[in-house]
Amino acid sequence: MPRETIVQAVNDALHTEMAADDRTLVFGEDVARSGGVFRATDGLLEAFGEERVRDTPLSEIAIVGAAVGLATHGYRPIVEIQFSGFLPPAFDQLVSNASRIRWRTRGRLTAPMVVRTPYGAGVRALEHHSESLEAAYAHVPGLKVAIPSTPADAKGLLTSAIRDPDPVLFMEPKRVYRSFREEVPDGEHTVPLGEAAVRREGADVTVVSWGAMMHPTLEAVDKLGVDAEVVDLRSISPLDRETLLASVRKTGRCVVVHEAAKSGGFGAEVAATVAEDALLYLEAPLRRVTGFDVPVPLLSMEDYYPPQPPRIAAAIEETVEF
């Protein structure tokens, strides 16, 4: 198996699925001739031609709106929004059109489309380039939201998203796009949407995270003398409640780590799920380790915004010692 980075695994999945199904199309800003701002679509134009790989104007509304139209007419569009902070202009297309077309038409039409977008802080980007707004999209019925943390999962989840009969928002953690490599299955490889992964078995505390925050979470756990179980949600919509609750019932404690702002972040949904169905198993209050309720700061201050291993480790220790 080849060893790939996350961005290479995304490119691998796109090549594999486009070769397998000529209904798949890729379009977005600079995705064709430049291969995307992060080169995730590099080589697609040469392999599949300009009829299936197209550059678009700077209009997220038009990009996602066109994808909805194509998806309802037999194609499987995969569109790229350069940064997740640019996605809000297309919120109406995702919420009012793509996510509810199956319900609105009583199943006569569906929207099998994927919106890919890099998200999160940590690369010294400009304003609106570092947001982590996954909770807003997870709130939308009919829209799936997947967030990989490893190259193998990036390829597997993206493949499943492309094949899914309904719209999927695929959020790629650009902070770790190229920070490490791992073996990725060659050829066809799928990871089911809505299925979490237990990255580390443990008995003392459940630590839940996803995307770019999985790596500082694992680093924090490895440095502690605590038998922590680490759960990578991988998809936040649908949420794998079974894996989450089984882990919390086993350990009796829970810490949630994410880089989005704390208020209304998806960690609150995790906490509510645990409170509803595993409250009597808890031996300590659930803790959230998150970004702050401010816009992502620019340049050097950006590193203070996402949770770092020391802050994560402190929350885990406090939870275990409660």
Side-chain angles (χ1 to χ4, degrees):
M1 293 188 291
R3 292 180 61 82
E4 297 179 346
T5 62
I6 287 179
V7 75
Q8 289 173 327
V10 167
N11 185 272
D12 186 355
L14 294 172
H15 271 91
T16 301
E17 290 306 292
M18 291 190 75
D21 188 347
D22 60 12
R23 297 175 300 166
T24 55
L25 313 171
V26 169
F27 56 96
E29 298 165 11
D30 299 322
V31 301
R33 300 194 182 282
S34 297
V37 67
F38 290 102
R39 303 298 182 263
T41 55
D42 191 38
L44 293 181
L45 177 63
E46 292 77 10
F48 303 105
E50 61 183 13
E51 288 298 311
R52 295 179 62 194
V53 185
R54 286 181 172 268
D55 289 326
T56 67
L58 259 66
S59 174
E60 287 74 23
I61 296 172
I63 293 168
V64 178
V68 176
L70 287 163
T72 58
H73 285 75
Y75 293 95
R76 289 184 172 269
I78 308 158
V79 302
E80 178 181 300
I81 303 299
Q82 281 192 346
F83 295 88
S84 65
F86 301 162
L87 191 55
F91 195 72
D92 187 38
Q93 280 68 35
L94 285 174
V95 174
S96 301
N97 303 135
S99 67
R100 64 180 63 201
I101 194 70
R102 178 187 288 276
W103 176 84
R104 175 181 289 162
T105 65
R106 299 185 180 182
R108 184 174 61 86
L109 295 176
T110 60
M113 55 182 277
V114 178
V115 177
R116 293 181 41 252
T117 187
Y119 86 97
V123 298
R124 299 289 196 274
L126 302 175
E127 188 179 11
H128 299 306
H129 289 65
S130 302
E131 278 80 355
S132 185
L133 300 175
E134 64 269 24
Y137 301 100
H139 184 70
V140 180
L143 178 65
K144 297 181 176 71
V145 181
I147 309 176
S149 68
T150 70
D153 279 355
K155 180 177 181 180
L157 286 169
L158 182 54
T159 300
S160 295
I162 294 168
R163 297 180 181 183
D164 199 86
D166 293 300
V168 180
L169 176 59
F170 192 78
M171 303 184 72
E172 300 165 8
K174 65 178 181 285
R175 182 189 185 99
V176 291
Y177 253 162
R178 292 181 171 86
S179 64
F180 69 101
R181 296 174 182 268
E182 72 170 9
E183 290 186 345
V184 176
D186 205 2
E188 181 178 315
H189 171 58
T190 60
V191 172
L193 298 171
E195 185 176 298
V198 177
R199 298 293 182 199
R200 188 181 188 277
E201 298 277 353
D204 292 339
V205 58
T206 297
V207 187
V208 182
S209 192
W210 54 88
M213 289 297 96
M214 182 52 53
H215 304 280
T217 296
L218 287 169
E219 183 181 337
V221 167
D222 288 341
K223 291 180 178 179
L224 287 173
V226 173
D227 190 18
E229 181 152 295
V230 179
V231 176
D232 184 346
L233 292 184
R234 300 199 292 194
S235 296
I236 62 171
S237 181
L239 173 64
D240 185 353
R241 296 169 58 91
E242 290 74 19
T243 298
L244 168 65
L245 292 170
S247 180
V248 173
R249 288 167 181 155
K250 178 174 71 171
T251 66
R253 300 174 179 87
C254 185
V255 175
V256 187
V257 182
H258 65 69
E259 70 174 278
K262 185 174 186 177
S263 296
F266 197 75
E269 181 64 26
V270 174
T273 299
V274 171
E276 286 175 348
D277 294 312
L279 179 64
L280 297 182
Y281 292 85
L282 290 180
E283 300 176 25
L286 184 146
R287 281 180 170 79
R288 289 178 287 166
V289 189
T290 71
F292 303 101
D293 289 346
V294 299
V296 179
L298 299 178
L299 304 178
S300 62
M301 290 297 293
E302 185 178 339
D303 289 340
Y304 294 97
Y305 184 84
Q308 300 293 343
R311 187 149 64 97
I312 299 169
I316 295 172
E317 286 184 317
E318 290 171 7
T319 302
V320 172
E321 294 170 1
F322 181 83

